[in-house]
Amino acid sequence: LCLSAFLSLPLAGRAEPIRYSVAEEAESGSLVGKLAEDAGLTPAQLSARRARLVSEDGRQHFRLDGGSGRLVVAGRLDREELCGQAGTCMLPFELLLANPLQFFRVEVALEDINDHAPVFPEERVTFNIPETSEPGSRFPLVAARDLDIGSNSIQAYSISPENEYFTLSYRTQLTGKKYLELVLEKALDREELAEMSFSLIAEDGGSPPRSGTTQVKIVILDVNDNAPAFTQEEYIGQVLENMPVGSVVLTVLATDQDDGVNGDISYQLSETLGQSDSAFVIDPITGEIKITKPLDFEAADTHEIHVTARDGGGLSAICKVLVEVVDVNDNAPELVVSSFSSPLPENTVPGTVVALFSVRDRDSGANGQISCALEDQLFFSVRAAYKNYYELVTVSALDREERAQHILSVTAADAGWPPLTSTQTFTVDISDVNDNAPVFNQTSYTMYVRENNVPTVFVGAVSAADADVGLNAKVTYSLAPVQGAERPWCSCISVNSENGHVFVLRPLDYERLRQTQVTVSASDAGSPPLRANVTVRLVVLDENDNAPLVLYPGQESSPASSELVPVSAEAGYLITKVVAVDADSGQNSWLSYHLLRATEPGLFSVGVQSGEVRLRRPVTDRDAVKQKLVVLVRDNGKPPLSATAALSALLLKDFSDMRLPHSSPATEEQQDSLTTYLIVSLVFVSLLFLISTVAFVARKVCKRKELEAGPVLYGADNLQSGLADAAAAGTLPRAYCYEISLTTGSGNSEFKFLRPILPSLPPQHCAMGQEPDEGQDFPCVPVSGEDMAPMDNAGTLSAREFNAL
């Protein structure tokens, strides 16, 4: 039960102090007491709870042996220096345990030893005693001073050598004051003895005893039989400690009933032991006591001085003067920090002790009453711990990102007027905790890449910042995995883990993939790591990599169809419309149509935007029946891509002429080749014409040119005009009218002999399988099977026969 009651003591420790005693001047390390045992602790507990000794004045007279828990002397202890003439000398301090906080009050009584001998204030004292002094006269002496107390102080006085005239009187009055007087035992006779000397010895009660000596000289005077007398046996004065030098403290007054020189009094100070450097001076005439140097209440609150009054005859009197120094608020409070913790984690819970400090003020009374305050703080406060100890504690949650450092100013103020203050600054750094996830500088990102890009092309960067510091703020980037039923992200995208750069790993095709998106995750290096996600949308930009595709007319069909155009059509007549598309987008898909090549370029026009093929002018007789057009379809890309569309048009009088054959592409190619051959032949013939001067060769060449450049009749009008010319030239005996029928897909042209234009011509016909012979009037000759052409009742001839005619 006793142990439980002891352990349940409050934080301040035990109510009664632990008391010890030790003799002054004990050697360093001398045992004072078993402090750990008396406090109910073990040496291990002292170390674990960080025990230390704390004194009010900050001076460490003792130390605690952590291994044994004993209290030992830390250094030289001088009772007279520490306590002066006090009857008891008590050195108080606290045993402070930090974890948990607990105090034990300890008081050590410093026992006096006889280490000081009695000392007289003056080495020689002279008395001028008139010879008229009667036995029993008393002459006051200034007693010796012994700094020790009790039995070690002065116990007895003696005269050496002893004489018959004087004895010593050492008595104590009811007031407790002690007086030393020289008593005249026998009347003096100046004529018998003018002066005498002896030693005054003061002896203390120590073991061994110590003594002090002063020389007393007696000068016997004549006649002056009245000594000065002070108006008060003891003068008490008060003075503020901040009084300026030269200020009058008080005035002493002594009187003498004698007249003349024997009645003239002068004053002087008798130095007191330990105060040889007196802070006071007395005017020898007026008796005013003045200050000679600044006073300090904290150094000495009272000053004791002795004043001697002497008359002109040598008689004197002594009085004691006590000067009390009144405290002035001239000392600011002092703050002594015992412990301080910095930095603090930002997740520190409220109520955590940051610092432990004590305050003191050397002034007294209200001037020494201290209060502590913390200026303008929402996160910390100061609370009293024990006696003059205070704790600086947290009162709310800390956030390093909001404030990384707190500069706390604790102000201690006393209750004096005007109050004095002192400030202690605590700089508390807040250490980081990983409590902030990375934050992207955009809610989403849109990046662009042109199709057909090079592999690993850089398209942009994501950036995230973390409000933490150090590893907690180091951000790495990665592609977040697809969750659940989400569409898988494109494997063509990669992100740099260090800087967030986004790359496209392979070439993309706008026509297959126009846009895609991925989720990029930013993670810090804290423990545990925090992360944030952002969506990155990749938009593929179109390049002009697709040429236009002609939908109509179809370019793959064989043979190509021909558009029928009536010869009576006016300008602006819509023949057909070229329809094309482009797989690109934007301006890369804007198509324009242009007439690239035509049999009659001036006959047709093509709408640039619409692709409509129209007649630019009316059809004339000179226009060929078969018209070939090539339309160029071009997009608006850079550089532009194009395609061509080949068209055919037949100029017909009416739609009954639709029986005319349409030439196939193969025939048209043959005609193109034939044209090329003709050009080459013409060039060759021209060269022969220039070289050869032979007329025969020139004639042959001319005939050949006439044969190769012979007219080919396509229409009925041309046919009639050709036959007429032939009849006029005598080539044909009669005039005939032929009708040409062109069949689609056939390379052969046939014409029919319809009816004789001139009835006078004999209707001679060759039978099937015969052809007319040259030089005859159409004699029929046999022909081969492939040259035979069926003849109806109207008489049909093949194109070969017609060309022969």
PDB file of all heavy atoms in Angstrom, residues 549-561 644 646 665:
ATOM      1  N   LEU A 549     -10.537   8.764-105.475  1.00  0.00           N
ATOM      2  CA  LEU A 549     -11.035   7.531-106.092  1.00  0.00           C
ATOM      3  C   LEU A 549     -12.281   7.871-106.908  1.00  0.00           C
ATOM      4  O   LEU A 549     -13.263   8.407-106.366  1.00  0.00           O
ATOM      5  CB  LEU A 549     -11.377   6.505-105.009  1.00  0.00           C
ATOM      6  CG  LEU A 549     -12.020   5.207-105.516  1.00  0.00           C
ATOM      7  CD1 LEU A 549     -11.057   4.447-106.416  1.00  0.00           C
ATOM      8  CD2 LEU A 549     -12.452   4.344-104.334  1.00  0.00           C
ATOM      9  N   VAL A 550     -12.196   7.572-108.218  1.00  0.00           N
ATOM     10  CA  VAL A 550     -13.312   7.882-109.126  1.00  0.00           C
ATOM     11  C   VAL A 550     -14.343   6.762-109.016  1.00  0.00           C
ATOM     12  O   VAL A 550     -14.041   5.589-109.259  1.00  0.00           O
ATOM     13  CB  VAL A 550     -12.817   8.035-110.575  1.00  0.00           C
ATOM     14  CG1 VAL A 550     -14.005   8.311-111.502  1.00  0.00           C
ATOM     15  CG2 VAL A 550     -11.783   9.149-110.654  1.00  0.00           C
ATOM     16  N   LEU A 551     -15.541   7.168-108.598  1.00  0.00           N
ATOM     17  CA  LEU A 551     -16.635   6.202-108.486  1.00  0.00           C
ATOM     18  C   LEU A 551     -17.416   6.077-109.802  1.00  0.00           C
ATOM     19  O   LEU A 551     -17.875   4.977-110.165  1.00  0.00           O
ATOM     20  CB  LEU A 551     -17.567   6.605-107.341  1.00  0.00           C
ATOM     21  CG  LEU A 551     -16.929   6.682-105.953  1.00  0.00           C
ATOM     22  CD1 LEU A 551     -17.972   7.111-104.929  1.00  0.00           C
ATOM     23  CD2 LEU A 551     -16.320   5.344-105.567  1.00  0.00           C
ATOM     24  N   TYR A 552     -17.585   7.189-110.461  1.00  0.00           N
ATOM     25  CA  TYR A 552     -18.298   7.192-111.746  1.00  0.00           C
ATOM     26  C   TYR A 552     -17.633   8.206-112.664  1.00  0.00           C
ATOM     27  O   TYR A 552     -17.313   9.323-112.209  1.00  0.00           O
ATOM     28  CB  TYR A 552     -19.772   7.549-111.569  1.00  0.00           C
ATOM     29  CG  TYR A 552     -20.554   7.495-112.884  1.00  0.00           C
ATOM     30  CD1 TYR A 552     -21.060   6.270-113.330  1.00  0.00           C
ATOM     31  CD2 TYR A 552     -20.739   8.629-113.665  1.00  0.00           C
ATOM     32  CE1 TYR A 552     -21.740   6.211-114.528  1.00  0.00           C
ATOM     33  CE2 TYR A 552     -21.416   8.565-114.859  1.00  0.00           C
ATOM     34  CZ  TYR A 552     -21.928   7.356-115.288  1.00  0.00           C
ATOM     35  OH  TYR A 552     -22.596   7.289-116.476  1.00  0.00           O
ATOM     36  N   PRO A 553     -17.381   7.858-113.894  1.00  0.00           N
ATOM     37  CA  PRO A 553     -17.644   6.539-114.507  1.00  0.00           C
ATOM     38  C   PRO A 553     -16.635   5.513-114.045  1.00  0.00           C
ATOM     39  O   PRO A 553     -15.505   5.852-113.711  1.00  0.00           O
ATOM     40  CB  PRO A 553     -17.511   6.825-115.990  1.00  0.00           C
ATOM     41  CG  PRO A 553     -16.528   7.957-116.062  1.00  0.00           C
ATOM     42  CD  PRO A 553     -16.808   8.822-114.878  1.00  0.00           C
ATOM     43  N   GLY A 554     -17.080   4.251-113.987  1.00  0.00           N
ATOM     44  CA  GLY A 554     -16.185   3.205-113.548  1.00  0.00           C
ATOM     45  C   GLY A 554     -15.024   3.028-114.504  1.00  0.00           C
ATOM     46  O   GLY A 554     -15.219   2.895-115.712  1.00  0.00           O
ATOM     47  N   GLN A 555     -13.817   3.019-113.921  1.00  0.00           N
ATOM     48  CA  GLN A 555     -12.623   2.923-114.756  1.00  0.00           C
ATOM     49  C   GLN A 555     -12.199   1.488-114.992  1.00  0.00           C
ATOM     50  O   GLN A 555     -11.297   1.225-115.794  1.00  0.00           O
ATOM     51  CB  GLN A 555     -11.487   3.703-114.089  1.00  0.00           C
ATOM     52  CG  GLN A 555     -11.819   5.174-113.857  1.00  0.00           C
ATOM     53  CD  GLN A 555     -12.147   5.914-115.140  1.00  0.00           C
ATOM     54  OE1 GLN A 555     -11.355   5.979-116.054  1.00  0.00           O
ATOM     55  NE2 GLN A 555     -13.375   6.435-115.221  1.00  0.00           N
ATOM     56  N   GLU A 556     -12.848   0.539-114.352  1.00  0.00           N
ATOM     57  CA  GLU A 556     -12.467  -0.854-114.491  1.00  0.00           C
ATOM     58  C   GLU A 556     -13.315  -1.576-115.545  1.00  0.00           C
ATOM     59  O   GLU A 556     -13.020  -2.699-115.902  1.00  0.00           O
ATOM     60  CB  GLU A 556     -12.609  -1.571-113.148  1.00  0.00           C
ATOM     61  CG  GLU A 556     -11.775  -0.961-112.033  1.00  0.00           C
ATOM     62  CD  GLU A 556     -10.300  -1.015-112.345  1.00  0.00           C
ATOM     63  OE1 GLU A 556      -9.886  -1.950-113.066  1.00  0.00           O
ATOM     64  OE2 GLU A 556      -9.549  -0.140-111.857  1.00  0.00           O
ATOM     65  N   SER A 557     -14.412  -0.943-115.960  1.00  0.00           N
ATOM     66  CA  SER A 557     -15.320  -1.610-116.907  1.00  0.00           C
ATOM     67  C   SER A 557     -14.690  -1.680-118.291  1.00  0.00           C
ATOM     68  O   SER A 557     -13.968  -0.771-118.704  1.00  0.00           O
ATOM     69  CB  SER A 557     -16.651  -0.860-116.970  1.00  0.00           C
ATOM     70  OG  SER A 557     -16.423   0.473-117.428  1.00  0.00           O
ATOM     71  N   SER A 558     -14.949  -2.747-119.003  1.00  0.00           N
ATOM     72  CA  SER A 558     -14.426  -2.930-120.366  1.00  0.00           C
ATOM     73  C   SER A 558     -15.524  -3.585-121.209  1.00  0.00           C
ATOM     74  O   SER A 558     -16.009  -4.668-120.862  1.00  0.00           O
ATOM     75  CB  SER A 558     -13.175  -3.799-120.339  1.00  0.00           C
ATOM     76  OG  SER A 558     -12.668  -3.985-121.651  1.00  0.00           O
ATOM     77  N   PRO A 559     -15.972  -2.973-122.291  1.00  0.00           N
ATOM     78  CA  PRO A 559     -15.514  -1.648-122.744  1.00  0.00           C
ATOM     79  C   PRO A 559     -16.191  -0.541-121.972  1.00  0.00           C
ATOM     80  O   PRO A 559     -17.201  -0.754-121.341  1.00  0.00           O
ATOM     81  CB  PRO A 559     -15.921  -1.621-124.208  1.00  0.00           C
ATOM     82  CG  PRO A 559     -17.158  -2.467-124.219  1.00  0.00           C
ATOM     83  CD  PRO A 559     -16.949  -3.567-123.216  1.00  0.00           C
ATOM     84  N   ALA A 560     -15.600   0.679-122.061  1.00  0.00           N
ATOM     85  CA  ALA A 560     -16.168   1.827-121.367  1.00  0.00           C
ATOM     86  C   ALA A 560     -17.427   2.280-122.084  1.00  0.00           C
ATOM     87  O   ALA A 560     -17.523   2.246-123.303  1.00  0.00           O
ATOM     88  CB  ALA A 560     -15.153   2.960-121.317  1.00  0.00           C
ATOM     89  N   SER A 561     -18.389   2.687-121.313  1.00  0.00           N
ATOM     90  CA  SER A 561     -19.644   3.180-121.891  1.00  0.00           C
ATOM     91  C   SER A 561     -19.446   4.572-122.437  1.00  0.00           C
ATOM     92  O   SER A 561     -18.571   5.312-121.993  1.00  0.00           O
ATOM     93  CB  SER A 561     -20.738   3.156-120.835  1.00  0.00           C
ATOM     94  OG  SER A 561     -20.380   4.014-119.772  1.00  0.00           O
ATOM     95  N   THR A 644      -7.475  10.363-112.665  1.00  0.00           N
ATOM     96  CA  THR A 644      -8.113  10.742-113.940  1.00  0.00           C
ATOM     97  C   THR A 644      -9.300   9.846-114.215  1.00  0.00           C
ATOM     98  O   THR A 644      -9.347   8.685-113.767  1.00  0.00           O
ATOM     99  CB  THR A 644      -7.114  10.644-115.099  1.00  0.00           C
ATOM    100  OG1 THR A 644      -6.604   9.317-115.169  1.00  0.00           O
ATOM    101  CG2 THR A 644      -5.964  11.622-114.897  1.00  0.00           C
ATOM    102  N   ALA A 646     -11.631   8.731-117.563  1.00  0.00           N
ATOM    103  CA  ALA A 646     -11.777   8.759-119.025  1.00  0.00           C
ATOM    104  C   ALA A 646     -13.253   8.645-119.389  1.00  0.00           C
ATOM    105  O   ALA A 646     -13.963   7.772-118.889  1.00  0.00           O
ATOM    106  CB  ALA A 646     -10.971   7.634-119.668  1.00  0.00           C
ATOM    107  N   PRO A 665     -11.921   0.164-125.959  1.00  0.00           N
ATOM    108  CA  PRO A 665     -10.644   0.725-125.528  1.00  0.00           C
ATOM    109  C   PRO A 665      -9.466   0.156-126.267  1.00  0.00           C
ATOM    110  O   PRO A 665      -8.501   0.863-126.537  1.00  0.00           O
ATOM    111  CB  PRO A 665     -10.591   0.349-124.036  1.00  0.00           C
ATOM    112  CG  PRO A 665     -12.016   0.195-123.638  1.00  0.00           C
ATOM    113  CD  PRO A 665     -12.703  -0.350-124.839  1.00  0.00           C
TER     114      PRO A 665
END
